[in-house]
Amino acid sequence: MDSKQANNVKAPILVTGGAGFIGSNFVLEWIAAGKGPLVNLDKLTYAGNPENLISVADNPAYTFAHGDICDAEFVGKLLREHRPRAVVHFAAESHVDRSIHGPEAFLKTNIDGTFTLLKEARAYYDGLEGEEKVQFRFLHVSTDEVYGTLEPNDPAFHEDTPYAPNSPYAASKAASDHLVRAWVHTYGLPAMITNCSNNYGPHHFPEKLIPLMIANAQKGKPLPVYGDGQQVRDWLYVVDHCKAIMTVLEKGKPGETYNVGGGNQRTNLQVVNTLCALLDELVPDSPYKPHAQLIKYVADRPGHDRRYAIDARKIESELGWKAEESFETGLRKTVEWYLANKDWVEHVTSGAYQQWVDKNYGSREGVAGGAR
Ligand code: NAD
Ligand code: DAU
């Protein structure tokens, strides 16, 4: 690193959505690694939780900015004030089931919000000079769901797999990816995209499969498996995803896309059974043992993608990133985290959470209100 680069490391990075699941893990990893100052722009929707970031709230390297990525004036002012060396864009509506019940918020934040961020980042980038301009990066955090669904013997998604999004969530993320691509090609914004598979780990909101199953099992509530439970997801421990994003930020090439995944394909039923076995072991005096007896098959998700799998060879061979956590060790760490942080679960599942559970599970046959 030369002296100009070293100087610029003192400039912050701007993270959006840093109070959510992956964003908060990223913020904590970044600060712990001493990678420099970080500004976190977050609207604090139901999915954003300041409790995730209590340990860094008073750290001089951390600044919180409460706002909306759709608010151009706010975003522009933040960029001019903090002069970040990079933008890492996590902020999104992220839950597929919610996108089925109410797609509007997904179009607003994921498409309009990304457009606003790109527009303001471009204006900011155009005003930079010299080394600041050379080093600036925009990293858009996206998903494997933009590629659609795979048959059992199809090869895993690679960076050239055609986009075929199936849910309103996936379509809104695909649209945002296309906007980023256009800003690279038309305006020369030095942006990169990562498309990652399913994450799991601490701070995962209990509307998603893994934390929902852990939370319900502890209370003896039904474990609602959609359809036949044979859908396949490719699981990655969240800290590995955060490290992949840091790697792309440091070594990635502007204009490139990188697929991120850990090579852990499992059916939903396998995941739920593994969680139940872990809970049987870690909570030996539970009155609900064996936890697998709580499994209930319920009505399937409309348009449910059957299988996702990621081919991560590009980021591995070109940038030297590789997942470190195995699914077994990562899942054990995750269950231990939820068992040690029952207050966190209580806080995020009070209030409006119950309305969501009623809306999503109330009408699914097989649970008859029991998942609530
Ligand atoms: P999350 O729902 O847990 O968190 C989203 C965060 O964005 C919250 O803090 C929320 O308050 C904030 N936010 C929402 N709308 C906003 C707005 N208009 N302005 C500012 N902030 C806003 O999401 P997550 O699971 O952490 O996902 C983060 C990103 O990673 C998303 O872009 C998602 O598409 C992508 N992704 C997620 C996964 C996964 O398995 N969770 C996998 C691949 C990619
Ligand atoms: O693949 C990456 C994507 O992974 C991210 O882009 C999304 O933001 C993230 O939410 C996740 O999407 P999924 O739809 O795969 O995750 P979810 O945890 O909602 O569901 C995982 C699988 O489990 C899916 O096949 C649906 C099923 N499921 C989910 C819930 C909530 C159930 O069987 N029962 C449930 O109650």
Side-chain angles (χ1 to χ4, degrees), residues 94-97 143-145 169 196-198 207-209 212-213 224-226 231 233 235 268 301 304 308 361:
S94 70
H95 189 31
V96 173
D97 291 319
T143 170
D144 59 0
E145 300 203 12
Y169 162 70
C196 188
S197 60
N198 285 62
E207 63 187 353
K208 310 278 171 65
L209 179 76
L212 179 93
M213 295 297 166
V225 170
Y226 295 166
Q231 303 82 5
R233 296 292 182 266
W235 294 96
N268 293 337
R301 173 186 279 176
H304 200 171
Y308 303 144
Y361 297 97

Side-chain angles (χ1 to χ4, degrees), residues 16-344:
T16 71
F21 164 45
I22 305 173
S24 63
N25 278 284
F26 180 88
V27 171
L28 297 180
E29 286 293 313
W30 181 271
I31 301 282
K35 286 187 174 285
L38 179 154
V39 179
N40 173 20
L41 158 56
D42 200 298
K43 185 179 173 182
L44 298 182
T45 66
Y46 80 94
N49 184 356
E51 211 176 320
N52 293 342
L53 297 165
I54 278 177
S55 64
V56 295
D58 296 326
N59 190 311
Y62 176 72
T63 304
F64 180 63
H66 189 194
D68 190 330
I69 57 165
C70 300
D71 181 345
E73 207 180 310
F74 183 81
V75 171
K77 193 162 166 273
L78 207 61
L79 287 165
R80 290 190 296 276
E81 242 174 56
H82 292 278
R83 301 188 66 75
R85 64 184 166 101
V87 174
V88 184
H89 177 32
F90 293 96
E93 289 292 334
S94 70
H95 189 31
V96 173
D97 291 319
R98 284 189 194 252
S99 84
I100 294 167
H101 285 280
E104 292 80 1
F106 288 72
L107 272 60
K108 183 79 193 142
T109 285
N110 300 0
I111 305 177
D112 265 15
T114 301
F115 163 63
T116 304
L117 206 57
L118 285 167
K119 199 166 52 131
E120 294 305 314
R122 178 191 161 212
Y124 167 70
Y125 174 69
D126 283 351
L128 294 178
E129 287 178 351
E131 221 27 58
E132 272 193 321
K133 186 156 196 156
V134 173
Q135 287 183 30
F136 182 79
R137 296 287 182 271
F138 185 107
L139 198 161
H140 178 60
V141 180
S142 193
T143 170
D144 59 0
E145 300 203 12
V146 298
Y147 299 122
T149 187
L150 293 169
E151 295 295 329
N153 295 318
D154 283 347
F157 300 130
H158 55 85
E159 286 78 1
D160 296 326
T161 301
Y163 274 32
N166 288 321
S167 71
Y169 162 70
S172 69
K173 289 298 289 187
S176 68
D177 291 10
H178 290 323
L179 289 174
V180 174
R181 180 188 161 91
W183 257 245
V184 171
H185 285 262
T186 305
Y187 304 117
L189 189 75
M192 301 165 296
I193 300 174
T194 52
N195 293 94
C196 188
S197 60
N198 285 62
N199 285 214
Y200 66 99
H203 301 171
H204 206 182
F205 195 81
E207 63 187 353
K208 310 278 171 65
L209 179 76
I210 288 180
L212 179 93
M213 295 297 166
I214 300 172
N216 278 15
Q218 281 180 262
K219 293 195 163 167
K221 293 184 177 178
L223 308 181
V225 170
Y226 295 166
D228 63 3
Q230 294 305 313
Q231 303 82 5
V232 172
R233 296 292 182 266
D234 186 350
W235 294 96
L236 181 70
Y237 191 61
V238 63
V239 174
D240 275 329
H241 186 192
C242 294
K243 287 180 181 167
I245 290 167
M246 289 180 203
T247 303
V248 173
L249 201 55
E250 280 161 24
K251 301 191 210 160
K253 269 183 29 201
E256 293 289 321
T257 281
Y258 298 92
N259 279 359
V260 184
N264 289 307
Q265 293 179 59
R266 298 285 188 285
T267 65
N268 293 337
L269 206 54
Q270 282 172 330
V271 170
V272 176
N273 275 312
T274 308
L275 286 171
C276 289
L278 275 167
L279 285 166
D280 291 349
E281 177 198 327
L282 296 170
V283 195
D285 55 352
S286 164
Y288 310 115
K289 263 176 76 179
H291 292 88
Q293 70 180 324
L294 299 169
I295 291 174
K296 285 271 185 303
Y297 292 92
V298 301
D300 208 351
R301 173 186 279 176
H304 200 171
D305 284 338
R306 198 68 184 163
R307 174 177 166 238
Y308 303 144
I310 276 279
D311 179 343
R313 279 177 294 181
K314 179 176 173 183
I315 187 173
E316 290 174 1
S317 64
E318 291 185 13
L319 306 187
W321 171 89
K322 205 169 174 39
E324 291 166 18
E325 200 74 52
S326 75
F327 187 61
E328 286 64 35
T329 57
L331 209 58
R332 180 175 287 273
K333 274 188 190 174
T334 303
V335 174
E336 284 170 349
W337 187 87
Y338 279 90
L339 290 174
N341 289 276
K342 289 186 179 143
D343 284 355
W344 183 94

